[in-house]
Amino acid sequence: MDALTIWLVILAIGIPTFLVRFSFIGLLGRLDDVPDSLERALRFVPAAVLAALVAPEFVAPSGSLGNVPLDALAGGLVAAVVAWRTEDVLATIASGMLVLWAVRFWPF
Amino acid sequence: MNRDAFRAGVRDALPLLLGIVPFGLVSGVAAVDAGFSLAQAMGLSVFVFAGASQLAALSLVQEGAPALVVVATAVVINLRMGMYSASLAPHFREYTTRWKAAMAYVLTDQAYALSVARYRGGDVDKRPYYLGVALTLWVVWQAATVVGLVVGGGVPESWGLSFTVPLVFLALLVPAVEDRATGVAAAVGAVAGTLGAVYLPLHLGLLAGGLCGVAAGLLVDNPDETDDAGDETAAGGETAGEPPRDADATEEVSE
């Protein structure tokens, strides 16, 4: 991606993001809540998007399901257990990276 | 401006920094991987200031996704903040538009969750408290991004430092799975996102996975049980909440 495109992408993400944040605070302060149907849908965005971000990186980081790399899969699984138990960002990163390195650099 | 309320906000934000600092470092590293210059990386961090969408955009740029897909994916990720904006609007009603704009700019998951919890208890000067939380997060986020940029450039590729990106998302995913319906949304998002990453063109997998997950969540959701959904979402960001159920940590292997 060239420099100009990168800047345009930054603005094209930044401006709508600000407008979403400003929407009800700045413009629609009279409404006490979002329409119910929208709120119901938005509730699922974090779980759905985060899962869709995470899963391919662990099982298909090369963009193919044919040859699943053991290091990413093992690191991901261990980190998933740690994340679930601790809900701690630092512990999740540390455990995942340690297992990734152990599998990747271990002289089997 | 009430200094005590501002200080209270700063103090309440401090424990969150344990999560924000590594997240910011990773986003700096990801910016190096995506080929961003220092100015571009800081531009992204300052203009967007929304970690999950920044990381997703950087991953997509690094994989060579088209600009439109990068933008659409990042914006969809940030739509959830419309929910926070609506929830905070009644509390900020009395402030001038300029203050409202400034406060909207620094709105994050964490600033929302802490402020709404404190407002519910009543008895706090709302603007300085909110700014105490939000500005602390803003400053630390920008600083951590810079450190990540500098450090990330000096680490050999074989260390797989970019693997920290999905690990951060994983740590954010767990509290987002707060009941059965969000668990289903996550499981479907994981499977659809993986299949989309492998088979869909233009790196549309993330967008497709996210939308499929939301649709699945809506399908299994029982509207009668979601009267307090906003409260659950608010608490999910930073408290342990209820332990995730069956669909929590196994979705990575579902495909």
Side-chain angles (χ1 to χ4, degrees):
Chain A
M1 207 172 268
D2 63 75
L4 179 64
T5 313
I6 288 179
W7 281 112
L8 290 176
V9 162
I10 291 170
L11 290 179
I13 298 170
I15 292 169
T17 296
F18 172 75
L19 291 178
V20 167
R21 284 168 158 149
F22 191 57
S23 57
F24 288 89
I25 291 176
L27 306 170
L28 300 160
R30 280 158 302 175
L31 289 180
D32 274 356
D33 220 336
V34 219
D36 275 358
S37 53
L38 181 62
E39 177 171 336
R40 282 187 62 216
L42 289 176
R43 187 166 86 86
F44 297 108
V45 171
V49 169
L50 291 170
L53 270 165
V54 168
E57 296 296 327
F58 292 168
V59 299
S62 57
S64 141
L65 286 169
N67 193 6
V68 176
L70 190 62
D71 53 4
L73 188 61
L77 283 177
V78 170
V81 173
V82 171
W84 178 39
R85 291 288 176 197
T86 67
E87 298 206 359
D88 184 302
V89 178
L90 206 55
T92 305
I93 295 178
S95 59
M97 291 310 292
L98 285 175
V99 172
L100 177 85
W101 289 332
V103 175
R104 183 174 290 186
F105 297 125
W106 205 270
F108 280 119
Chain B
M1 173 147 315
N2 182 332
R3 278 158 192 261
D4 286 344
F6 185 86
R7 279 203 206 99
V10 173
R11 208 164 40 234
D12 286 355
L14 290 180
L16 297 181
L17 299 183
L18 270 180
I20 300 293
V21 169
F23 192 1
L25 289 172
V26 167
S27 99
V29 173
V32 174
D33 284 351
F36 276 42
S37 70
L38 180 73
Q40 288 161 343
M42 290 318 294
L44 179 70
S45 222
V46 169
F47 283 122
V48 177
F49 185 52
S53 70
Q54 287 177 227
L55 275 187
L58 289 168
S59 304
L60 286 170
V61 170
Q62 196 242 333
E63 291 164 14
L68 259 181
V69 175
V70 176
V71 170
T73 306
V75 170
V76 165
I77 292 174
N78 289 337
L79 283 181
R80 72 187 184 289
M81 289 196 278
M83 214 162 45
Y84 308 156
S85 183
S87 172
L88 287 173
H91 297 288
F92 295 170
R93 194 171 292 166
E94 65 192 86
Y95 304 129
T96 61
T97 302
R98 197 172 293 188
W99 273 113
K100 285 177 178 171
M103 292 162 84
Y105 162 63
V106 287
L107 178 56
T108 55
D109 301 284
Q110 296 86 353
Y112 167 70
L114 281 183
S115 298
V116 153
R118 182 59 83 105
Y119 297 165
R120 214 177 283 130
D123 187 32
V124 67
D125 195 346
K126 287 174 179 171
R127 190 172 65 195
Y129 179 80
Y130 175 85
L131 289 174
V133 173
L135 291 179
T136 303
L137 297 171
W138 189 91
V139 168
V140 171
W141 175 257
Q142 306 304 343
T145 306
V146 174
V147 175
L149 276 164
V150 175
V151 173
V155 175
E157 180 122 4
S158 68
W159 285 27
L161 222 52
S162 56
F163 193 62
T164 51
V165 174
L167 293 174
V168 168
F169 286 131
L170 181 63
L172 299 177
L173 169 63
V174 169
V177 177
E178 55 198 11
D179 55 18
R180 197 175 71 89
T182 45
V184 169
V188 171
V191 175
T194 304
L195 293 176
V198 175
Y199 298 111
L200 280 183
L202 303 176
H203 299 270
L204 284 166
L206 175 54
L207 205 52
L211 293 177
C212 287
V214 169
L218 282 171
L219 271 179
V220 301
D221 192 25
N222 180 353
D224 297 336
E225 289 172 6
T226 55
D227 290 335
D228 57 348
D231 297 339
E232 285 174 24
T233 314
E238 41 85 46
T239 67
E242 58 180 88
R245 309 233 174 93
D246 42 287
D248 52 56
T250 49
E251 66 266 53
E252 300 80 20
V253 287
S254 50
E255 203 14 80

